[in-house]
Amino acid sequence: MSAYVRTRDGCFPVLSWSMWRHIACGKLQLPEDLAWLYFETFDLLTDHSAVTRLEWAEGLSQCSSKSELDQQRNKLSVDTLKFLLFLYIQQLNRVSLRASLIGEGWPNRTRSPSPSDREAKTSMQNKNWDDQAHLVFVQSHLAEILELLVGPAQLSKSGQTSRDCQIPLEVVRSLDLLLEGSTNHNRTNVQPIHRLLSEDPLQSQAGYSALSCCFNLHKLLSCVQHVLTLNPFGMSACLRSGKKLAWDQQAEGPMKRAKIARNTHTAPHGSKIILMSQVMKQTLAKTSEKLIGSNVKLHRCSGAFIYLLSPLRSVTVDKCQDCTVVLGAVETSVHLHRCQNVQVVCVTARIIVSASSSCTVHALTPTRPLLLPGNAEITLAPFHTFYPSLEDHMASVGLAVIPNAWDQPLLLGSEGLMGPDPPCYRLLPPAEFHMLVVPFKMEGDTCEVPGGLPEQYQAALDEKERRIQKWQKTVMEAKLNKEQRLQFKELVEVKFHKWLLETGHRRELDSLIPPPTNVVNHCETGRAADAEHSRTGEVTMAS
């Protein structure tokens, strides 16, 4: 493909959707939906302004036919070489475009995973957050990565590179997708890799010629392999040296094992991480500037209610069970991996679920939810809550209310798109639908679900409201005396508390009650509850 795109109009240096569709569907025999998934996902990871993203969403929302949708998609182009690298690194999790869907005549210089490798996908360690796996992958594949950047004129008939092979500086810029660094050990002034390589002291080591503005391929390979190191802003570094965050009552009870850390005070844009691990049977809530633009990972949490109501870059919920996670606007993706009985409520550019069971996702998303292998009993439902600053947060990351594809999932298996049989998901029946109330006081203008609810779900809520009004009318018309009213009230309260215990909602309500003053930690994070909780059911969001 690297050679092909350089000889076709509309393919280099930027690749149009129409040409990628021709390559993916005509050459690689991919379904068009899968081809668009790769193209769209890469574009979601590109640094577009919020205004640009909102304009794109507006264009999509005006498409009323397949031809209009194609016309809109044809306006999208991506950086060709960066897109090639994006496709190549899909092998990190052993899901490769060329693994089983390769067309005739296309070069395959990498070992494709065996069927047994692919079948073991669902039980593998998730490598998306594994810094060591990233380093090993790039180190072992760096030669092939650089070969993707070499023009076909410099390759021999067998596809091999020569010792004097040259790579222009403009081409090396595509490596910025994968690599960045700093020339000092304090890891400040982080720069993209092409800028570091074109300046001393790495310039001469990388074989850069100021006359031709090119790098010698083999010197460049040797230089990068020599200086490549573990990501100092990755997950392992955050655990080792990130700022530890203490939550209320962390020293006692179920929070004793919890680990909450962040690197947001040192990490550059795009590399900010917040980790919450082993949060058990607690309600944690936060809205803060420190959360904005962060990549959040929730790991091995159990029985927790977690509210992160700020604009986030990405969220991964890994190995959690019996949790409810309510998120602010998420710029790129929310990924559930190996979770059980987890409810996630989010507005996000992409929702991904893999190797999970009995999970419910209430989403507002412009892209089709991606269901990867290993899922069972997944429920997809419309976004059903709001908080006062939600629409401001959505605008800040470029998320609009339409299009909304929450109910149009893509099922992706190891061999491509899967059919609906046997289904691993269902759409939430309207009869089971209830609104979620965010129980915190905040400032802002949003006072309803952005974009409203789908018609059938709104009708179900209206019917429930009519039943409540009918019940209230029945009670009023019963004309109970004072003693009967007290007996009736006690009966209702007993039934209500029994229901709270059976459903687990009692623990959720209890965790919203503010702790005694002498155990409240005045650190920058924690639960903050308002004295009015007992009267209004609201608590104040921590900032």
Side-chain angles (χ1 to χ4, degrees):
M1 182 176 170
S2 175
Y4 184 90
V5 294
R6 295 172 192 255
T7 59
R8 300 294 191 277
D9 292 337
C11 289
F12 190 82
V14 294
L15 180 65
S16 66
W17 159 241
S18 59
M19 287 306 300
W20 164 241
R21 180 174 56 185
H22 168 72
I23 294 170
C25 301
K27 302 294 184 180
L28 296 175
Q29 301 299 304
L30 297 180
E32 184 173 330
D33 285 339
L34 185 54
W36 176 248
L37 171 66
Y38 283 108
F39 205 71
E40 180 183 54
T41 300
F42 175 78
D43 185 67
L44 288 176
L45 299 175
T46 304
D47 283 333
H48 295 303
S49 68
V51 172
T52 299
R53 293 190 186 278
L54 291 173
E55 290 174 347
W56 174 254
E58 183 179 3
L60 288 177
S61 68
Q62 295 175 355
C63 297
S64 57
S65 65
K66 177 67 164 60
S67 61
E68 290 180 354
L69 180 62
D70 287 339
Q71 290 178 4
Q72 180 67 18
R73 289 180 174 181
N74 285 335
K75 298 177 182 178
L76 188 63
S77 297
V78 299
D79 182 288
T80 304
L81 295 181
K82 287 185 178 181
F83 185 60
L84 279 173
L85 296 180
F86 169 76
L87 297 178
Y88 187 88
I89 63 174
Q90 303 309 308
Q91 296 174 94
L92 175 67
N93 283 312
R94 295 189 183 274
V95 177
S96 171
L97 281 175
R98 295 179 294 184
S100 60
L101 300 170
I102 188 165
E104 290 186 12
W106 289 74
N108 183 14
R109 284 177 270 139
T110 59
R111 183 185 68 84
S112 294
S114 67
S116 60
D117 287 335
R118 293 195 297 270
E119 291 169 0
K121 168 74 170 65
T122 57
S123 61
M124 288 173 55
Q125 171 72 24
N126 180 22
K127 296 180 181 178
N128 292 330
W129 288 83
D130 187 345
D131 311 323
Q132 187 62 41
H134 298 173
L135 177 62
V136 170
F137 178 86
V138 175
Q139 284 178 329
S140 58
H141 293 82
L142 186 58
E144 291 175 348
I145 288 173
L146 293 181
E147 283 182 16
L148 287 176
L149 309 182
V150 175
Q154 297 194 72
L155 297 176
S156 65
K157 292 182 179 180
S158 62
Q160 301 300 312
T161 58
S162 62
R163 295 291 301 178
D164 59 351
C165 187
Q166 302 291 306
I167 301 183
L169 174 60
E170 287 301 310
V171 172
V172 173
R173 286 178 181 271
S174 59
L175 289 175
D176 295 352
L177 177 73
L178 304 179
L179 302 171
E180 60 186 8
S182 174
T183 55
N184 62 58
H185 294 290
N186 294 327
R187 295 163 182 155
T188 57
N189 192 26
V190 175
Q191 301 181 66
I193 183 67
H194 84 272
R195 190 169 299 161
L196 290 175
L197 291 173
S198 58
E199 299 175 356
D200 289 329
L202 296 180
Q203 189 180 75
S204 58
Q205 298 174 31
Y208 180 71
S209 168
L211 184 63
S212 63
C213 295
C214 291
F215 293 88
N216 177 276
L217 172 64
H218 293 276
K219 287 186 177 180
L220 176 63
L221 173 62
S222 176
C223 174
V224 175
Q225 284 181 328
H226 177 70
V227 299
L228 201 59
T229 187
L230 199 66
N231 181 6
F233 305 110
M235 184 58 61
S236 56
C238 182
L239 278 171
R240 183 174 60 253
S241 57
K243 182 172 289 188
K244 300 298 185 291
L245 303 184
W247 223 279
D248 295 344
Q249 298 179 324
Q250 183 178 5
E252 56 182 291
M255 286 297 286
K256 190 172 183 179
R257 297 173 59 190
K259 300 180 181 67
I260 305 174
R262 66 178 175 89
N263 67 3
T264 54
H265 56 297
T266 59
H269 173 73
S271 297
K272 296 180 179 181
I273 290 175
I274 294 177
L275 170 67
M276 297 182 179
S277 182
Q278 300 187 72
V279 177
M280 307 289 184
K281 299 180 180 180
Q282 291 283 301
T283 293
L284 306 184
K286 185 169 178 62
T287 178
S288 169
E289 290 187 1
K290 296 180 178 65
L291 284 177
I292 296 176
S294 295
N295 301 287
V296 177
K297 182 171 183 178
L298 308 178
H299 179 251
R300 291 192 181 278
C301 299
S302 177
F305 302 89
I306 299 174
Y307 298 80
L308 301 175
L309 306 182
S310 292
L312 307 170
R313 178 169 172 78
S314 72
V315 177
T316 295
V317 186
D318 188 27
K319 294 184 180 179
C320 296
Q321 61 181 1
D322 304 321
C323 292
T324 295
V325 180
V326 183
L327 303 169
V330 182
E331 180 180 0
T332 57
S333 67
V334 174
H335 187 179
L336 275 72
H337 183 64
R338 290 184 293 184
C339 292
Q340 183 176 7
N341 193 31
V342 169
Q343 177 182 213
V344 171
V345 183
C346 60
V347 181
T348 181
R350 167 85 69 204
I351 185 75
I352 307 166
V353 185
S354 59
S356 298
S357 62
S358 303
C359 292
T360 300
V361 179
H362 286 264
L364 194 169
T365 177
T367 65
R368 300 176 66 179
L370 183 57
L371 304 184
L372 298 178
N375 293 314
E377 299 181 2
I378 303 300
T379 298
L380 301 178
F383 188 72
H384 66 329
T385 192
F386 64 89
Y387 58 91
S389 52
L390 175 57
E391 289 176 311
D392 290 338
H393 291 170
M394 291 173 60
S396 71
V397 297
L399 289 172
V401 297
I402 50 176
N404 186 4
W406 68 270
D407 56 348
Q408 306 167 44
L410 274 176
L411 279 64
L412 186 62
S414 58
E415 301 298 327
L417 294 179
M418 297 189 299
D421 296 322
C424 65
Y425 78 97
R426 67 165 187 160
L427 300 183
L428 182 72
E432 299 178 21
F433 180 75
H434 300 277
M435 290 289 290
L436 174 70
V437 176
V438 175
F440 306 104
K441 287 184 176 179
M442 301 171 65
E443 295 183 356
D445 299 324
T446 303
C447 56
E448 61 184 2
V449 176
L453 295 171
E455 183 178 346
Q456 64 271 36
Y457 291 92
Q458 184 61 59
L461 287 183
D462 293 342
E463 175 59 26
K464 289 183 174 68
E465 181 62 27
R466 283 192 291 269
R467 290 165 57 187
I468 292 172
Q469 292 175 357
K470 182 179 178 180
W471 168 250
Q472 291 173 337
K473 182 180 178 182
T474 301
V475 173
M476 291 179 62
E477 292 177 348
K479 297 181 179 180
L480 303 178
N481 59 38
K482 184 175 181 181
E483 183 178 350
Q484 288 173 326
R485 286 199 303 270
L486 288 174
Q487 291 178 344
F488 181 71
K489 179 182 177 183
E490 290 175 359
L491 178 63
V492 171
E493 289 181 347
V494 168
K495 293 289 186 181
F496 178 59
H497 285 290
K498 181 180 179 182
W499 176 81
L500 286 177
L501 289 171
E502 290 175 348
T503 59
H505 293 312
R506 174 64 181 270
R507 176 168 47 82
E508 181 178 6
L509 290 176
D510 287 346
S511 65
L512 291 171
I513 298 175
T517 305
N518 60 344
V519 300
V520 173
N521 193 320
H522 64 274
C523 64
E524 63 187 346
T525 64
R527 290 179 298 131
D530 192 88
E532 290 187 350
H533 168 69
S534 59
R535 180 172 64 85
T536 65
E538 294 181 330
V539 294
T540 303
M541 173 64 69
S543 58

